[in-house]
Short mmCIF file of all heavy atoms in Angstrom, two decimals:
data_model
loop_
_atom_site.label_atom_id
_atom_site.label_comp_id
_atom_site.label_asym_id
_atom_site.label_seq_id
_atom_site.Cartn_x
_atom_site.Cartn_y
_atom_site.Cartn_z
N MET E 1 0.85 -1.22 0.07
CA MET E 1 0.00 -0.04 0.02
C MET E 1 0.91 1.27 -0.05
O MET E 1 1.86 1.28 0.79
CB MET E 1 -0.92 -0.07 1.26
CG MET E 1 -1.92 1.10 1.27
SD MET E 1 -3.15 1.17 0.06
CE MET E 1 -4.39 0.07 0.68
N GLU E 2 0.52 2.23 -0.87
CA GLU E 2 1.29 3.40 -0.89
C GLU E 2 0.95 4.26 0.29
O GLU E 2 -0.10 4.29 0.85
CB GLU E 2 0.75 4.15 -2.18
CG GLU E 2 1.82 4.82 -2.97
CD GLU E 2 1.30 5.58 -4.21
OE1 GLU E 2 0.26 5.05 -4.79
OE2 GLU E 2 1.71 6.69 -4.50
N THR E 3 2.00 5.05 0.76
CA THR E 3 1.79 5.92 1.93
C THR E 3 2.07 7.32 1.51
O THR E 3 2.95 7.70 0.59
CB THR E 3 2.66 5.50 3.10
OG1 THR E 3 4.06 5.46 2.69
CG2 THR E 3 2.27 4.10 3.63
N CYS E 4 1.56 8.20 2.31
CA CYS E 4 1.67 9.70 2.00
C CYS E 4 3.15 10.18 2.35
O CYS E 4 3.71 9.73 3.30
CB CYS E 4 0.73 10.48 2.92
SG CYS E 4 0.81 12.17 2.81
N PHE E 5 3.57 10.98 1.36
CA PHE E 5 4.97 11.56 1.53
C PHE E 5 5.05 12.40 2.68
O PHE E 5 6.14 12.49 3.37
CB PHE E 5 5.23 12.40 0.19
CG PHE E 5 6.54 12.93 0.24
CD1 PHE E 5 7.62 12.39 -0.04
CD2 PHE E 5 6.58 14.33 0.52
CE1 PHE E 5 8.94 13.01 -0.12
CE2 PHE E 5 7.88 15.05 0.51
CZ PHE E 5 9.02 14.39 0.23
N PHE E 6 3.99 13.10 3.08
CA PHE E 6 4.02 14.06 4.18
C PHE E 6 3.76 13.48 5.60
O PHE E 6 4.48 13.78 6.54
CB PHE E 6 2.97 15.17 3.90
CG PHE E 6 3.29 15.93 2.69
CD1 PHE E 6 2.65 15.60 1.48
CD2 PHE E 6 4.28 16.92 2.65
CE1 PHE E 6 2.90 16.26 0.33
CE2 PHE E 6 4.58 17.66 1.45
CZ PHE E 6 3.89 17.26 0.25
N CYS E 7 2.70 12.65 5.64
CA CYS E 7 2.19 12.16 7.05
C CYS E 7 2.37 10.61 7.17
O CYS E 7 1.93 10.10 8.22
CB CYS E 7 0.93 12.67 7.40
SG CYS E 7 -0.42 11.89 6.51
N LYS E 8 2.70 9.95 6.11
CA LYS E 8 2.65 8.46 6.04
C LYS E 8 1.36 7.80 6.14
O LYS E 8 1.22 6.67 6.57
CB LYS E 8 3.64 7.89 7.16
CG LYS E 8 5.05 8.50 7.23
CD LYS E 8 5.86 8.18 6.09
CE LYS E 8 7.27 8.80 6.17
NZ LYS E 8 7.83 9.16 4.86
N GLY E 9 0.40 8.65 5.96
CA GLY E 9 -1.04 8.13 6.01
C GLY E 9 -1.30 7.21 4.76
O GLY E 9 -0.46 7.16 3.81
N THR E 10 -2.54 6.58 4.79
CA THR E 10 -2.82 5.76 3.62
C THR E 10 -3.35 6.59 2.44
O THR E 10 -4.08 7.45 2.53
CB THR E 10 -3.91 4.69 4.02
OG1 THR E 10 -3.49 4.08 5.18
CG2 THR E 10 -4.25 3.84 2.96
N ILE E 11 -2.83 6.15 1.28
CA ILE E 11 -3.23 6.82 -0.08
C ILE E 11 -4.37 6.00 -0.70
O ILE E 11 -4.23 4.79 -0.75
CB ILE E 11 -2.07 6.84 -0.95
CG1 ILE E 11 -0.88 7.73 -0.35
CG2 ILE E 11 -2.46 7.59 -2.31
CD1 ILE E 11 -1.04 9.15 -0.32
N GLU E 12 -5.41 6.64 -1.04
CA GLU E 12 -6.49 6.02 -1.81
C GLU E 12 -6.75 6.75 -3.07
O GLU E 12 -6.44 7.94 -3.23
CB GLU E 12 -7.63 5.84 -0.92
CG GLU E 12 -8.37 7.18 -0.58
CD GLU E 12 -9.49 6.97 0.47
OE1 GLU E 12 -9.78 5.79 0.82
OE2 GLU E 12 -9.99 7.98 0.84
N ASN E 13 -7.22 5.99 -3.99
CA ASN E 13 -7.63 6.58 -5.38
C ASN E 13 -8.94 7.40 -5.05
O ASN E 13 -9.84 6.92 -4.45
CB ASN E 13 -7.92 5.52 -6.37
CG ASN E 13 -6.64 4.78 -6.83
OD1 ASN E 13 -5.61 5.37 -6.87
ND2 ASN E 13 -6.79 3.43 -7.05
N SER E 14 -8.94 8.61 -5.64
CA SER E 14 -10.07 9.39 -5.42
C SER E 14 -10.22 10.32 -6.76
O SER E 14 -9.56 10.02 -7.68
CB SER E 14 -9.83 10.28 -4.21
OG SER E 14 -11.01 11.12 -3.90
N PHE E 15 -11.18 11.24 -6.57
CA PHE E 15 -11.41 12.21 -7.79
C PHE E 15 -11.38 13.59 -7.12
O PHE E 15 -11.86 13.75 -5.97
CB PHE E 15 -12.71 11.91 -8.44
CG PHE E 15 -12.66 10.62 -9.17
CD1 PHE E 15 -13.10 9.47 -8.62
CD2 PHE E 15 -12.24 10.56 -10.51
CE1 PHE E 15 -13.07 8.22 -9.32
CE2 PHE E 15 -12.17 9.42 -11.27
CZ PHE E 15 -12.59 8.20 -10.64
N THR E 16 -10.96 14.54 -7.90
CA THR E 16 -10.89 15.88 -7.43
C THR E 16 -11.27 16.89 -8.62
O THR E 16 -11.25 16.46 -9.73
CB THR E 16 -9.60 16.26 -6.72
OG1 THR E 16 -9.72 17.57 -6.04
CG2 THR E 16 -8.47 16.30 -7.74
N ASN E 17 -11.44 18.12 -8.27
CA ASN E 17 -11.66 19.19 -9.32
C ASN E 17 -10.31 19.96 -9.40
O ASN E 17 -9.75 20.37 -8.38
CB ASN E 17 -12.77 20.06 -8.91
CG ASN E 17 -14.06 19.38 -8.96
OD1 ASN E 17 -14.25 18.41 -9.62
ND2 ASN E 17 -15.03 19.86 -8.11
N TYR E 18 -9.76 19.94 -10.63
CA TYR E 18 -8.45 20.64 -10.81
C TYR E 18 -8.82 22.06 -11.28
O TYR E 18 -9.49 22.29 -12.23
CB TYR E 18 -7.67 19.87 -11.80
CG TYR E 18 -6.26 20.42 -12.06
CD1 TYR E 18 -5.23 19.97 -11.30
CD2 TYR E 18 -6.11 21.38 -13.03
CE1 TYR E 18 -3.85 20.53 -11.46
CE2 TYR E 18 -4.77 21.83 -13.35
CZ TYR E 18 -3.76 21.47 -12.49
OH TYR E 18 -2.52 21.91 -12.73
N MET E 19 -8.17 23.06 -10.59
CA MET E 19 -8.46 24.43 -11.05
C MET E 19 -7.12 25.14 -11.40
O MET E 19 -6.10 24.95 -10.82
CB MET E 19 -8.99 25.17 -9.81
CG MET E 19 -10.49 24.92 -9.61
SD MET E 19 -11.05 25.46 -8.00
CE MET E 19 -10.77 23.91 -6.99
N VAL E 20 -7.18 25.87 -12.43
CA VAL E 20 -5.97 26.64 -12.94
C VAL E 20 -6.38 27.96 -13.43
O VAL E 20 -7.37 28.17 -14.06
CB VAL E 20 -5.23 25.74 -13.96
CG1 VAL E 20 -6.04 25.58 -15.23
CG2 VAL E 20 -3.89 26.39 -14.32
N ASP E 21 -5.46 28.93 -13.25
CA ASP E 21 -5.82 30.38 -13.74
C ASP E 21 -4.78 30.62 -14.89
O ASP E 21 -3.60 30.57 -14.80
CB ASP E 21 -5.33 31.24 -12.61
CG ASP E 21 -5.79 32.72 -12.84
OD1 ASP E 21 -5.87 33.06 -14.09
OD2 ASP E 21 -5.92 33.43 -11.93
N LEU E 22 -5.46 30.68 -16.10
CA LEU E 22 -4.64 30.98 -17.32
C LEU E 22 -4.77 32.44 -17.73
O LEU E 22 -5.70 32.78 -18.35
CB LEU E 22 -5.15 30.06 -18.47
CG LEU E 22 -5.09 28.58 -18.37
CD1 LEU E 22 -5.80 27.98 -19.48
CD2 LEU E 22 -3.64 28.10 -18.32
N ASP E 23 -3.80 33.24 -17.28
CA ASP E 23 -3.93 34.64 -17.66
C ASP E 23 -5.24 35.23 -17.40
O ASP E 23 -5.75 35.91 -18.32
CB ASP E 23 -3.47 34.92 -19.15
CG ASP E 23 -2.09 34.37 -19.39
OD1 ASP E 23 -1.25 34.44 -18.46
OD2 ASP E 23 -1.83 33.84 -20.53
N GLY E 24 -5.87 35.04 -16.25
CA GLY E 24 -7.10 35.63 -15.92
C GLY E 24 -8.26 34.81 -16.33
O GLY E 24 -9.48 35.08 -16.07
N HIS E 25 -8.05 33.66 -17.16
CA HIS E 25 -9.11 32.75 -17.44
C HIS E 25 -9.14 31.60 -16.52
O HIS E 25 -8.06 30.93 -16.39
CB HIS E 25 -8.94 32.18 -18.88
CG HIS E 25 -8.90 33.28 -19.96
ND1 HIS E 25 -10.18 33.87 -20.38
CD2 HIS E 25 -8.01 33.84 -20.62
CE1 HIS E 25 -9.90 34.80 -21.26
NE2 HIS E 25 -8.56 34.85 -21.51
N PHE E 26 -10.25 31.43 -15.89
CA PHE E 26 -10.24 30.46 -14.74
C PHE E 26 -10.86 29.07 -15.31
O PHE E 26 -11.86 29.09 -15.84
CB PHE E 26 -11.09 31.01 -13.68
CG PHE E 26 -10.87 30.28 -12.34
CD1 PHE E 26 -9.56 30.19 -11.81
CD2 PHE E 26 -11.95 29.79 -11.62
CE1 PHE E 26 -9.37 29.57 -10.64
CE2 PHE E 26 -11.72 29.15 -10.39
CZ PHE E 26 -10.44 29.03 -9.95
N VAL E 27 -10.06 28.04 -15.27
CA VAL E 27 -10.41 26.80 -15.89
C VAL E 27 -10.60 25.73 -14.64
O VAL E 27 -9.77 25.61 -13.80
CB VAL E 27 -9.30 26.24 -16.75
CG1 VAL E 27 -9.74 24.85 -17.23
CG2 VAL E 27 -9.25 27.16 -18.00
N ILE E 28 -11.74 25.06 -14.66
CA ILE E 28 -11.92 24.08 -13.65
C ILE E 28 -12.18 22.69 -14.49
O ILE E 28 -13.13 22.66 -15.34
CB ILE E 28 -13.20 24.30 -12.80
CG1 ILE E 28 -13.02 25.68 -12.16
CG2 ILE E 28 -13.49 23.23 -11.82
CD1 ILE E 28 -14.26 26.26 -11.49
N ILE E 29 -11.38 21.68 -14.15
CA ILE E 29 -11.57 20.37 -14.69
C ILE E 29 -12.13 19.45 -13.60
O ILE E 29 -11.51 19.24 -12.65
CB ILE E 29 -10.35 19.85 -15.31
CG1 ILE E 29 -9.59 20.72 -16.29
CG2 ILE E 29 -10.47 18.47 -15.94
CD1 ILE E 29 -8.17 20.37 -16.69
N LYS E 30 -13.34 18.99 -13.91
CA LYS E 30 -14.02 18.23 -12.86
C LYS E 30 -13.73 16.71 -12.98
O LYS E 30 -13.45 16.18 -13.99
CB LYS E 30 -15.59 18.35 -13.06
CG LYS E 30 -16.05 19.77 -12.80
CD LYS E 30 -17.51 19.99 -13.02
CE LYS E 30 -18.29 19.44 -12.01
NZ LYS E 30 -19.80 19.66 -12.31
N ASN E 31 -13.67 16.10 -11.83
CA ASN E 31 -13.56 14.61 -11.72
C ASN E 31 -12.25 14.12 -12.21
O ASN E 31 -12.21 13.08 -12.99
CB ASN E 31 -14.74 13.91 -12.33
CG ASN E 31 -16.07 14.21 -11.78
OD1 ASN E 31 -16.18 14.35 -10.53
ND2 ASN E 31 -17.10 14.50 -12.59
N VAL E 32 -11.18 14.76 -11.87
CA VAL E 32 -9.91 14.29 -12.27
C VAL E 32 -9.41 13.15 -11.25
O VAL E 32 -9.51 13.39 -10.12
CB VAL E 32 -8.85 15.50 -12.28
CG1 VAL E 32 -7.42 15.01 -12.69
CG2 VAL E 32 -9.31 16.58 -13.14
N PRO E 33 -9.04 12.06 -11.80
CA PRO E 33 -8.45 10.93 -11.01
C PRO E 33 -7.20 11.37 -10.22
O PRO E 33 -6.37 12.03 -10.78
CB PRO E 33 -8.23 9.78 -11.82
CG PRO E 33 -8.18 10.43 -13.26
CD PRO E 33 -9.06 11.58 -13.22
N CYS E 34 -7.17 11.09 -8.92
CA CYS E 34 -6.04 11.42 -8.13
C CYS E 34 -5.70 10.51 -7.11
O CYS E 34 -6.45 9.62 -6.82
CB CYS E 34 -6.32 12.91 -7.50
SG CYS E 34 -7.57 12.88 -6.23
N HIS E 35 -4.74 10.64 -6.41
CA HIS E 35 -4.36 9.96 -5.10
C HIS E 35 -4.56 10.83 -3.99
O HIS E 35 -3.97 11.96 -3.96
CB HIS E 35 -2.89 9.33 -5.23
CG HIS E 35 -2.67 8.41 -6.39
ND1 HIS E 35 -1.49 8.46 -7.05
CD2 HIS E 35 -3.41 7.58 -6.97
CE1 HIS E 35 -1.52 7.57 -8.02
NE2 HIS E 35 -2.70 7.13 -7.99
N LYS E 36 -5.28 10.42 -3.01
CA LYS E 36 -5.59 11.30 -1.88
C LYS E 36 -5.18 10.65 -0.58
O LYS E 36 -5.62 9.47 -0.35
CB LYS E 36 -7.06 11.66 -1.84
CG LYS E 36 -7.36 12.75 -0.88
CD LYS E 36 -8.92 13.09 -0.95
CE LYS E 36 -9.21 14.15 0.09
NZ LYS E 36 -10.65 14.50 0.08
N CYS E 37 -4.58 11.40 0.35
CA CYS E 37 -4.29 10.79 1.66
C CYS E 37 -5.39 10.90 2.54
O CYS E 37 -6.13 11.96 2.63
CB CYS E 37 -3.06 11.70 2.26
SG CYS E 37 -2.71 11.30 3.90
N ARG E 38 -5.74 9.73 3.15
CA ARG E 38 -6.84 9.67 3.98
C ARG E 38 -6.67 10.57 5.28
O ARG E 38 -7.63 11.01 5.90
CB ARG E 38 -7.09 8.31 4.53
CG ARG E 38 -7.96 7.41 3.63
CD ARG E 38 -8.20 6.03 4.29
NE ARG E 38 -8.55 5.10 3.17
CZ ARG E 38 -8.66 3.83 3.43
NH1 ARG E 38 -8.57 3.33 4.70
NH2 ARG E 38 -9.00 3.04 2.38
N GLN E 39 -5.37 10.71 5.68
CA GLN E 39 -5.15 11.31 7.00
C GLN E 39 -5.05 12.88 6.76
O GLN E 39 -5.80 13.64 7.46
CB GLN E 39 -3.74 10.87 7.48
CG GLN E 39 -3.61 11.15 9.02
CD GLN E 39 -2.51 10.18 9.57
OE1 GLN E 39 -2.80 9.05 9.63
NE2 GLN E 39 -1.33 10.78 9.78
N CYS E 40 -4.28 13.33 5.91
CA CYS E 40 -4.08 14.86 5.75
C CYS E 40 -4.71 15.40 4.49
O CYS E 40 -4.73 16.64 4.34
CB CYS E 40 -2.61 15.19 5.78
SG CYS E 40 -1.62 14.78 4.22
N GLY E 41 -5.25 14.59 3.60
CA GLY E 41 -5.90 15.13 2.46
C GLY E 41 -5.05 15.63 1.25
O GLY E 41 -5.55 16.14 0.33
N GLU E 42 -3.78 15.36 1.39
CA GLU E 42 -2.87 15.72 0.32
C GLU E 42 -3.27 15.08 -0.93
O GLU E 42 -3.41 13.81 -0.97
CB GLU E 42 -1.44 15.43 0.83
CG GLU E 42 -0.38 15.81 -0.17
CD GLU E 42 -0.19 17.29 -0.38
OE1 GLU E 42 -0.60 18.05 0.54
OE2 GLU E 42 0.25 17.76 -1.44
N ILE E 43 -3.22 15.75 -2.07
CA ILE E 43 -3.67 15.20 -3.27
C ILE E 43 -2.49 15.21 -4.20
O ILE E 43 -1.68 16.13 -4.33
CB ILE E 43 -4.82 16.01 -3.93
CG1 ILE E 43 -6.14 15.62 -3.18
CG2 ILE E 43 -4.96 15.72 -5.37
CD1 ILE E 43 -7.36 16.43 -3.49
N SER E 44 -2.28 14.08 -4.93
CA SER E 44 -1.28 14.00 -5.95
C SER E 44 -1.82 13.34 -7.26
O SER E 44 -2.80 12.66 -7.12
CB SER E 44 -0.03 13.24 -5.42
OG SER E 44 -0.40 11.96 -5.15
N PHE E 45 -1.23 13.64 -8.37
CA PHE E 45 -1.60 13.16 -9.67
C PHE E 45 -0.49 12.32 -10.19
O PHE E 45 0.73 12.54 -10.02
CB PHE E 45 -1.96 14.27 -10.62
CG PHE E 45 -3.02 15.18 -10.17
CD1 PHE E 45 -2.70 16.49 -9.64
CD2 PHE E 45 -4.37 14.81 -10.19
CE1 PHE E 45 -3.77 17.30 -9.17
CE2 PHE E 45 -5.31 15.61 -9.78
CZ PHE E 45 -5.03 16.87 -9.27
N SER E 46 -1.03 11.22 -10.94
CA SER E 46 0.04 10.44 -11.70
C SER E 46 0.59 11.28 -12.85
O SER E 46 -0.06 12.21 -13.34
CB SER E 46 -0.66 9.06 -12.12
OG SER E 46 -1.44 9.40 -13.20
N GLY E 47 1.73 10.82 -13.31
CA GLY E 47 2.37 11.51 -14.48
C GLY E 47 1.46 11.52 -15.75
O GLY E 47 1.30 12.51 -16.36
N LYS E 48 0.79 10.40 -15.79
CA LYS E 48 -0.18 10.14 -17.04
C LYS E 48 -1.30 11.21 -16.89
O LYS E 48 -1.69 11.84 -17.92
CB LYS E 48 -0.77 8.80 -16.95
CG LYS E 48 -1.32 8.34 -18.26
CD LYS E 48 -1.79 6.90 -18.01
CE LYS E 48 -3.10 6.56 -18.97
NZ LYS E 48 -3.65 5.32 -18.60
N THR E 49 -1.82 11.40 -15.70
CA THR E 49 -2.91 12.29 -15.50
C THR E 49 -2.53 13.81 -15.68
O THR E 49 -3.20 14.52 -16.23
CB THR E 49 -3.45 12.17 -14.05
OG1 THR E 49 -3.95 10.83 -13.82
CG2 THR E 49 -4.70 13.05 -13.86
N VAL E 50 -1.26 14.09 -15.24
CA VAL E 50 -0.77 15.43 -15.40
C VAL E 50 -0.69 15.78 -16.85
O VAL E 50 -0.97 16.83 -17.40
CB VAL E 50 0.64 15.60 -14.75
CG1 VAL E 50 1.30 16.86 -15.07
CG2 VAL E 50 0.44 15.55 -13.19
N THR E 51 -0.21 14.86 -17.66
CA THR E 51 -0.06 15.03 -19.20
C THR E 51 -1.41 15.24 -19.80
O THR E 51 -1.59 16.11 -20.63
CB THR E 51 0.68 13.62 -19.76
OG1 THR E 51 1.86 13.44 -19.11
CG2 THR E 51 0.79 13.89 -21.29
N ARG E 52 -2.38 14.46 -19.38
CA ARG E 52 -3.76 14.61 -19.90
C ARG E 52 -4.38 15.90 -19.47
O ARG E 52 -4.99 16.62 -20.30
CB ARG E 52 -4.55 13.43 -19.35
CG ARG E 52 -5.90 13.39 -19.87
CD ARG E 52 -5.98 13.04 -21.41
NE ARG E 52 -7.21 13.24 -22.01
CZ ARG E 52 -7.38 14.11 -23.06
NH1 ARG E 52 -6.45 14.77 -23.65
NH2 ARG E 52 -8.63 14.31 -23.47
N ILE E 53 -4.06 16.38 -18.28
CA ILE E 53 -4.59 17.72 -17.85
C ILE E 53 -3.94 18.81 -18.75
O ILE E 53 -4.69 19.65 -19.20
CB ILE E 53 -4.15 18.06 -16.41
CG1 ILE E 53 -5.05 17.17 -15.41
CG2 ILE E 53 -4.44 19.55 -16.00
CD1 ILE E 53 -4.62 17.13 -13.88
N GLU E 54 -2.70 18.75 -19.01
CA GLU E 54 -2.01 19.67 -19.94
C GLU E 54 -2.68 19.66 -21.27
O GLU E 54 -2.86 20.72 -21.99
CB GLU E 54 -0.57 19.43 -20.07
CG GLU E 54 0.22 19.80 -18.66
CD GLU E 54 1.63 19.34 -18.64
OE1 GLU E 54 2.07 18.50 -19.51
OE2 GLU E 54 2.27 19.54 -17.68
N GLU E 55 -3.00 18.42 -21.83
CA GLU E 55 -3.66 18.36 -23.14
C GLU E 55 -4.99 19.03 -23.14
O GLU E 55 -5.36 19.68 -24.08
CB GLU E 55 -3.81 16.89 -23.58
CG GLU E 55 -2.55 16.22 -23.98
CD GLU E 55 -2.63 14.75 -24.12
OE1 GLU E 55 -3.82 14.15 -24.00
OE2 GLU E 55 -1.66 14.06 -24.48
N ILE E 56 -5.80 18.75 -22.05
CA ILE E 56 -7.13 19.37 -21.98
C ILE E 56 -6.97 20.95 -21.91
O ILE E 56 -7.76 21.66 -22.57
CB ILE E 56 -7.77 18.83 -20.71
CG1 ILE E 56 -8.22 17.30 -20.90
CG2 ILE E 56 -9.07 19.65 -20.34
CD1 ILE E 56 -8.71 16.60 -19.65
N ILE E 57 -6.00 21.47 -21.19
CA ILE E 57 -5.86 22.81 -21.00
C ILE E 57 -5.35 23.47 -22.33
O ILE E 57 -5.95 24.51 -22.83
CB ILE E 57 -4.83 23.12 -19.97
CG1 ILE E 57 -5.41 22.91 -18.60
CG2 ILE E 57 -4.35 24.62 -20.03
CD1 ILE E 57 -4.36 22.91 -17.49
N GLU E 58 -4.58 22.78 -23.09
CA GLU E 58 -4.04 23.22 -24.44
C GLU E 58 -5.38 23.31 -25.42
O GLU E 58 -5.53 24.37 -26.04
CB GLU E 58 -3.13 22.19 -25.13
CG GLU E 58 -1.76 22.58 -24.67
CD GLU E 58 -1.28 23.92 -24.99
OE1 GLU E 58 -1.44 24.37 -26.10
OE2 GLU E 58 -0.75 24.57 -24.01
N ASP E 59 -6.23 22.39 -25.36
CA ASP E 59 -7.46 22.41 -26.20
C ASP E 59 -8.33 23.54 -25.75
O ASP E 59 -8.92 24.23 -26.65
CB ASP E 59 -8.26 21.08 -25.96
CG ASP E 59 -7.62 20.04 -26.84
OD1 ASP E 59 -6.70 20.23 -27.59
OD2 ASP E 59 -8.07 18.75 -26.67
N LEU E 60 -8.43 23.74 -24.49
CA LEU E 60 -9.25 24.78 -23.91
C LEU E 60 -8.81 26.19 -24.35
O LEU E 60 -9.67 27.17 -24.51
CB LEU E 60 -9.32 24.65 -22.45
CG LEU E 60 -10.42 23.67 -21.85
CD1 LEU E 60 -10.29 23.62 -20.37
CD2 LEU E 60 -11.79 24.07 -22.30
N LYS E 61 -7.53 26.35 -24.52
CA LYS E 61 -6.94 27.66 -24.82
C LYS E 61 -7.49 28.21 -26.05
O LYS E 61 -7.59 29.43 -26.26
CB LYS E 61 -5.43 27.60 -24.88
CG LYS E 61 -4.71 27.60 -23.49
CD LYS E 61 -3.15 27.52 -23.74
CE LYS E 61 -2.50 27.46 -22.43
NZ LYS E 61 -1.03 27.27 -22.53
N LYS E 62 -7.93 27.39 -27.02
CA LYS E 62 -8.41 27.76 -28.26
C LYS E 62 -9.81 28.31 -28.17
O LYS E 62 -10.30 29.13 -28.96
CB LYS E 62 -8.48 26.57 -29.23
CG LYS E 62 -7.16 25.97 -29.55
CD LYS E 62 -7.26 24.65 -30.19
CE LYS E 62 -5.97 23.78 -30.13
NZ LYS E 62 -6.23 22.40 -30.39
N ILE E 63 -10.60 28.02 -27.14
CA ILE E 63 -12.00 28.29 -26.97
C ILE E 63 -12.22 29.06 -25.68
O ILE E 63 -13.31 29.02 -25.23
CB ILE E 63 -12.89 27.11 -27.10
CG1 ILE E 63 -12.49 26.01 -25.98
CG2 ILE E 63 -12.86 26.45 -28.49
CD1 ILE E 63 -13.61 24.97 -25.71
N LEU E 64 -11.14 29.58 -25.12
CA LEU E 64 -11.32 30.04 -23.67
C LEU E 64 -12.34 31.25 -23.56
O LEU E 64 -12.30 32.26 -24.32
CB LEU E 64 -10.00 30.60 -23.25
CG LEU E 64 -9.21 29.64 -22.32
CD1 LEU E 64 -8.04 30.31 -21.80
CD2 LEU E 64 -10.15 29.13 -21.23
N THR E 65 -13.25 31.05 -22.64
CA THR E 65 -14.13 32.13 -22.13
C THR E 65 -13.56 32.47 -20.82
O THR E 65 -12.49 32.01 -20.36
CB THR E 65 -15.55 31.62 -22.01
OG1 THR E 65 -15.55 30.55 -21.29
CG2 THR E 65 -16.13 31.38 -23.54
N GLU E 66 -14.22 33.35 -20.05
CA GLU E 66 -13.67 33.85 -18.86
C GLU E 66 -13.57 32.67 -17.77
O GLU E 66 -12.60 32.60 -17.07
CB GLU E 66 -14.53 34.95 -18.30
CG GLU E 66 -13.81 35.84 -17.21
CD GLU E 66 -14.16 37.25 -17.31
OE1 GLU E 66 -14.30 37.76 -18.40
OE2 GLU E 66 -14.58 37.70 -16.17
N VAL E 67 -14.57 31.87 -17.76
CA VAL E 67 -14.54 30.74 -16.90
C VAL E 67 -14.90 29.47 -17.70
O VAL E 67 -15.93 29.46 -18.47
CB VAL E 67 -15.53 30.81 -15.70
CG1 VAL E 67 -15.57 29.57 -14.86
CG2 VAL E 67 -15.24 32.11 -14.94
N ALA E 68 -14.22 28.34 -17.63
CA ALA E 68 -14.41 27.27 -18.38
C ALA E 68 -14.46 26.03 -17.29
O ALA E 68 -13.58 25.92 -16.48
CB ALA E 68 -13.41 26.90 -19.32
N ILE E 69 -15.56 25.18 -17.39
CA ILE E 69 -15.75 24.10 -16.44
C ILE E 69 -15.97 22.90 -17.41
O ILE E 69 -16.87 22.81 -18.20
CB ILE E 69 -16.87 24.20 -15.50
CG1 ILE E 69 -16.75 25.54 -14.74
CG2 ILE E 69 -17.08 23.03 -14.63
CD1 ILE E 69 -17.98 25.86 -13.85
N VAL E 70 -15.04 21.95 -17.30
CA VAL E 70 -15.13 20.69 -18.15
C VAL E 70 -15.05 19.48 -17.36
O VAL E 70 -14.42 19.52 -16.21
CB VAL E 70 -13.99 20.76 -19.29
CG1 VAL E 70 -14.26 21.91 -20.16
CG2 VAL E 70 -12.63 20.79 -18.68
N GLU E 71 -15.56 18.46 -17.87
CA GLU E 71 -15.33 17.13 -17.24
C GLU E 71 -14.00 16.59 -17.65
O GLU E 71 -13.54 16.72 -18.88
CB GLU E 71 -16.36 16.07 -17.64
CG GLU E 71 -17.79 16.49 -17.09
CD GLU E 71 -18.00 16.02 -15.72
OE1 GLU E 71 -17.25 15.12 -15.26
OE2 GLU E 71 -18.82 16.64 -14.97
N TYR E 72 -13.34 15.86 -16.73
CA TYR E 72 -12.08 15.12 -17.13
C TYR E 72 -12.41 13.98 -18.03
O TYR E 72 -13.35 13.11 -17.72
CB TYR E 72 -11.39 14.57 -15.85
CG TYR E 72 -10.04 13.86 -16.20
CD1 TYR E 72 -8.87 14.60 -16.28
CD2 TYR E 72 -10.04 12.50 -16.44
CE1 TYR E 72 -7.61 13.99 -16.53
CE2 TYR E 72 -8.81 11.78 -16.68
CZ TYR E 72 -7.71 12.52 -16.78
OH TYR E 72 -6.55 11.83 -17.02
N VAL E 73 -11.75 13.85 -19.25
CA VAL E 73 -11.99 12.69 -20.17
C VAL E 73 -10.68 12.03 -20.33
O VAL E 73 -9.73 12.65 -20.77
CB VAL E 73 -12.57 13.17 -21.51
CG1 VAL E 73 -12.84 11.95 -22.37
CG2 VAL E 73 -13.91 13.90 -21.24
N ALA E 74 -10.62 10.81 -19.95
CA ALA E 74 -9.36 10.01 -19.95
C ALA E 74 -8.98 9.84 -21.38
O ALA E 74 -9.83 9.72 -22.27
CB ALA E 74 -9.48 8.74 -19.20
ZN1 ZN T 1 -0.84 12.58 4.35
#
């Protein structure tokens, strides 16, 4: 079982909303798979997920409105 880098708590698979500010454009990606510590709530993403988030943001840059809320699509 994986343990938390910060508190050694148990890490479990979870989902979170990822928020990023792109030059004043606020993007929210919903239901992003993540690893979450049961004890301190620290959230981390796998390398694959980070790459996918970057792709989603690149796509969004073409159609950016002031606030964009999208679902995570693997
Ligand atoms: Zn922790």
Side-chain angles (χ1 to χ4, degrees):
M1 183 65 84
E2 221 179 325
T3 56
C4 177
F5 177 79
F6 298 97
C7 74
K8 311 293 181 209
T10 305
I11 301 282
E12 61 185 2
N13 290 327
S14 186
F15 292 92
T16 189
N17 296 331
Y18 183 88
M19 281 165 272
V20 63
D21 188 339
L22 296 174
D23 300 327
H25 298 283
F26 200 52
V27 174
I28 301 167
I29 306 171
K30 295 172 78 179
N31 298 319
V32 181
C34 67
H35 299 143
K36 186 178 182 184
C37 174
R38 270 187 207 175
Q39 198 161 290
C40 72
E42 181 67 25
I43 283 172
S44 61
F45 300 102
S46 71
K48 197 178 150 192
T49 302
V50 169
T51 304
R52 187 66 192 121
I53 288 170
E54 285 169 358
E55 286 172 3
I56 290 170
I57 290 169
E58 274 305 308
D59 284 349
L60 279 174
K61 278 181 182 172
K62 299 167 196 158
I63 55 159
L64 263 188
T65 54
E66 200 146 312
V67 178
I69 304 172
V70 296
E71 291 280 335
Y72 181 90
V73 180

